[in-house]
Amino acid sequence: MSAYGRALLGIMRREVLRFLQQRGRFIAALVRPMVWLVVFAAGFRSVLGVAIQPPYQTYITYDVYIVPGLIGMIQLFNGMQSSLSMVYDREMGSMRVLMTTPLPRWFLLTAKLAAGVAVSILQVYAFLAIAALLGIGFRWQGYVALLPALVLSGFMLGAVGMFLSSTIRQLENFAGVMNFVIFPAFFLSSALYPLWRMRESSVVLWQIASANPFTHAVELIRFALHGQANLTAAAIVAATFTVALALAMWGYDPSHGFSARRLRGGD
Amino acid sequence: MQLSRQAGTQGGRGGGTDALVVRGVSHAYGARKALDGVGFSVSRGSFTALLGPNGAGKTTLFGLVTRLIGLRTGTIEICGLNLAGARAKALAPLGLVFQQPTLDLDLTVRQNLFYFAALRNMSRATAQKRIIEELTRLDMAERVDERVRNLNGGHRRRVELARALLHDPALLLLDEPTVGLDVESRRRIVAHVHDLAEERGLGVLWATHLIDEVLPHDDLVVLNRGRVVASGKAVEVAREVGEDDLDGAFARLTAPEAGGTAESGRAGAAEAWRA
């Protein structure tokens, strides 16, 4: 096996081990979307139906509609959690072990990103299994087609989180970022309601939600879960990933990025 | 006072090139200069103490050697590989123990070491063998499946040292590795690393502000306010400064240039001793 392959596997194994051993994190990752699905969606199910619109070919109930949004939520939280763990690792020093590995920095950061995506995919399929037990299931082709969509959206959200982590000086500052990133990204998207409904109430909010990359990640997931491809959403997610990754690389470059500035004042 | 040894000209006991050569390295954080034209070398098989008070620039120097900070002025060579040209590859012969603890507390000792071994392209079988070898040397083999969170500070440091040696490095860098440890743990680690330099022909750069960690026959580089103010064998440095012991020499060498005295520097050294 090449040095790259071995390092990638090592980084992924560590991330999965950490996730499995932090049981609270595993449970929280599942409880959060389940609360939305069981409480929020159940309440709205009786009052809100979703009109026929792609990828749906018939009227659907609200709990079916919300599942892709909740998958996006899992990946969004996981992306931010990974970046939080990068800030923590940096403060605790273990990021130094990774950064002093004799492999290119772009590779190490991408491998770290891939590890976070792997963890988010585990969470998503665990969530889908519980949803299926609750009677909200999809065709098996949907579960298979979902995988590449999850990889792409997971990389995008992870790269955004990684860039944010490169700009944050201290762990304490992270809560503010969560408020300014996670909540606007989630609520100003098609995760909870179709965009046309938002347009009826506010054109400005509809425009913002239409431009929100998270909306496109959710739509990519929604179409995939119904065995269809949304190429426009895939292109926007891929483009956002590329830009975010480039910014993250710059942020972690010791001679140019935020990391260089953060080291000022050291011994 | 400047007692300098020319950097990078002699091979060490291990033969061939020096393990580390630092030439004309400067670094500034904005207007504040952290390092100013620093130059020295570490021979293979030698224990070199980088001695300096807090704020002398030791950690900045480590950051530059490990590429955690971008090098702008000067050259650094690790086992003959220029850091600027070879980039990340130059870090391959390097074993590191950072000032901050860097183990993952939620993982076991074995899992932590396997993770590092994967980053250094070691197969599982080789890693398994080396993990047991290094931990055995440090009397830690029986703790291999314990979570790091359950280990005390001294044991965690031993695990970090075992990790730094896992891939059989040619150069070992330790940035104040005994901070926060009790006297016995410090003594054990200092002795172990001295043995390693001698037995394995390892080049060791040990940054510290604790004078008692430096032995008379060690190579010594004294860093103060970002400059190398003396270098050579510890015993010779003390003699050339006109002091009987390193305590006095360090106090004299690090006394504030403007308005400072050897006495005030000595007080600082005494403080360091107490720390």
Side-chain angles (χ1 to χ4, degrees), chain A residues 6 14 18 21 91-92 267, chain B residues 55 60 100-101 104 106 121:
Chain A
R6 195 162 269 144
R14 172 185 183 258
R18 270 169 59 97
Q21 291 184 5
E91 286 207 347
M92 292 297 112
D267 180 3
Chain B
T60 298
Q100 270 182 305
D104 197 319
D106 292 317
N121 195 24

Side-chain angles (χ1 to χ4, degrees), chain A residues 111-154:
Chain A
K112 180 97 176 145
L113 208 53
V117 174
V119 167
S120 80
I121 289 173
L122 285 178
Q123 293 172 22
V124 167
Y125 279 105
F127 166 71
L128 284 172
I130 298 171
L133 290 175
L134 295 173
I136 307 165
F138 300 87
R139 292 195 305 176
W140 68 267
Q141 294 95 326
Y143 291 117
V144 176
L146 181 62
L147 185 59
L150 290 178
V151 171
L152 191 54
S153 56

Side-chain angles (χ1 to χ4, degrees), chain B residues 9-239:
Chain B
T9 49
Q10 305 119 339
R13 248 183 296 177
T17 55
D18 283 320
L20 175 70
V21 178
V22 176
R23 277 197 206 95
V25 167
S26 299
H27 192 81
Y29 298 104
R32 190 171 71 80
K33 221 164 197 180
L35 292 175
D36 187 9
V38 169
F40 64 91
S41 64
V42 176
S43 306
R44 295 184 193 220
S46 78
F47 183 104
T48 302
L50 181 66
L51 189 62
N54 291 330
K58 302 185 295 291
T59 299
T60 298
L61 184 62
F62 269 67
L64 291 166
V65 174
T66 55
R67 292 187 75 242
L68 289 169
I69 305 175
L71 178 64
R72 291 178 194 142
T73 312
T75 16
I76 294 174
E77 287 174 16
I78 300 170
C79 297
L81 285 173
N82 191 322
L83 206 58
R87 298 177 67 83
K89 273 185 193 166
L91 302 179
L94 208 57
L96 291 161
V97 178
F98 294 102
Q99 189 176 349
Q100 270 182 305
T102 55
L103 293 168
D104 197 319
L105 302 181
D106 292 317
L107 301 186
T108 65
V109 170
R110 192 194 301 273
Q111 286 166 342
N112 267 286
L113 298 187
F114 265 134
Y115 167 60
F116 180 80
L119 294 178
R120 295 291 172 149
N121 195 24
M122 295 169 73
S123 71
R124 292 283 282 187
T126 309
Q128 177 68 19
K129 183 170 157 280
R130 294 284 301 126
I131 286 169
I132 298 303
E133 277 174 8
E134 290 303 333
L135 289 177
T136 303
R137 279 187 64 118
L138 288 154
D139 292 334
M140 288 294 293
E142 73 281 5
R143 315 289 298 267
V144 70
D145 288 316
E146 273 188 52
R147 280 200 193 194
V148 171
R149 193 178 292 282
N150 299 333
L151 303 181
N152 65 33
H155 288 161
R156 289 181 193 181
R157 270 303 188 206
R158 285 197 235 170
V159 174
E160 290 192 312
L161 187 54
R163 181 181 63 185
L165 296 166
L166 216 54
H167 59 299
D168 208 8
L171 172 65
L172 184 61
L173 299 185
L174 306 101
D175 186 8
E176 307 209 16
T178 58
V179 166
L181 300 188
D182 59 52
V183 174
E184 178 55 20
S185 298
R186 279 179 56 203
R187 192 195 59 73
R188 282 189 67 139
I189 289 180
V190 171
H192 184 67
V193 175
H194 273 91
D195 290 347
L196 286 171
E198 203 163 302
E199 290 167 18
R200 299 192 192 178
L202 198 62
V204 174
L205 182 63
W206 176 288
T208 186
H209 61 272
L210 302 170
I211 294 160
D212 61 324
E213 291 180 353
V214 185
L215 303 182
H217 62 268
D218 288 340
D219 287 326
L220 176 67
V221 177
V222 182
L223 199 63
N224 188 40
R225 298 180 175 194
R227 291 181 165 199
V228 174
V229 291
S231 63
K233 290 283 176 200
V235 66
E236 290 164 11
V237 167
R239 197 178 302 132

Side-chain angles (χ1 to χ4, degrees), chain A residues 220-231:
Chain A
L220 179 67
I221 290 165
R222 189 186 307 286
F223 275 71
L225 203 49
H226 289 83
Q228 296 177 42
N230 184 334
L231 296 179

Side-chain angles (χ1 to χ4, degrees), chain A residues 6 27 31 53 63 68 92 116 125-126 133 135 138 147 154 161-162 166 174 177 203-204 225:
Chain A
R6 195 162 269 144
I27 292 165
V31 165
Q53 61 171 57
D63 48 2
M92 292 297 112
Y125 279 105
L133 290 175
F138 300 87
L147 185 59
M162 184 178 277
S166 73
F174 203 79
V177 174
V203 174
V204 174
L225 203 49

